[in-house]
Amino acid sequence: VEAGPQKLIAPMPGKIVRILVAVGDEVKAGQGIIVMEAMKMQNEMKSPKDGRVLKITTSEGSTVNPGATLAVIE
C-alpha cells in the first residue's frame, strides 16, 4: 500500500448518488466512501487504504467524468 494520501478516482462517467463518509472520518481499506450511479447501476467506490478522509471533492447529485478525483484518503 502506498504511503501518503491516496485519491479515490471515478472509473467511469456517472452521477454521485450518496456520500457515505464525512471529512475527518476514519475509514478502513475496502470501506464504501461514495455511491456512484453509472449505466443504471449503483457502484460503491471503496477506500484504497486504512486512513482518514482528508477531502471530498464532489457532492451528491453531481455528474463526474472518468478520472475525476472523488475523495482523498490519508
Side-chain angles (χ1 to χ4, degrees):
V1 176
E2 279 179 54
Q6 280 191 282
K7 293 178 178 175
L8 192 64
I9 304 290
M12 61 194 95
K15 183 176 174 198
I16 304 305
V17 181
R18 215 161 61 242
I19 296 174
L20 306 172
V21 297
V23 170
D25 284 3
E26 294 285 332
V27 294
K28 295 280 180 207
Q31 180 179 334
I33 304 287
I34 289 175
V35 179
M36 182 174 150
E37 188 177 283
M39 299 177 288
K40 303 281 183 234
M41 286 177 55
Q42 291 196 357
N43 300 291
E44 203 172 68
M45 304 289 115
K46 298 184 186 332
S47 178
K49 64 183 229 173
D50 289 359
R52 194 169 56 85
V53 180
L54 186 62
K55 239 191 313 205
I56 294 174
T57 54
T58 188
S59 56
E60 292 183 1
S62 63
T63 302
V64 296
N65 292 315
T69 299
L70 304 177
V72 180
I73 312 297
E74 69 168 358

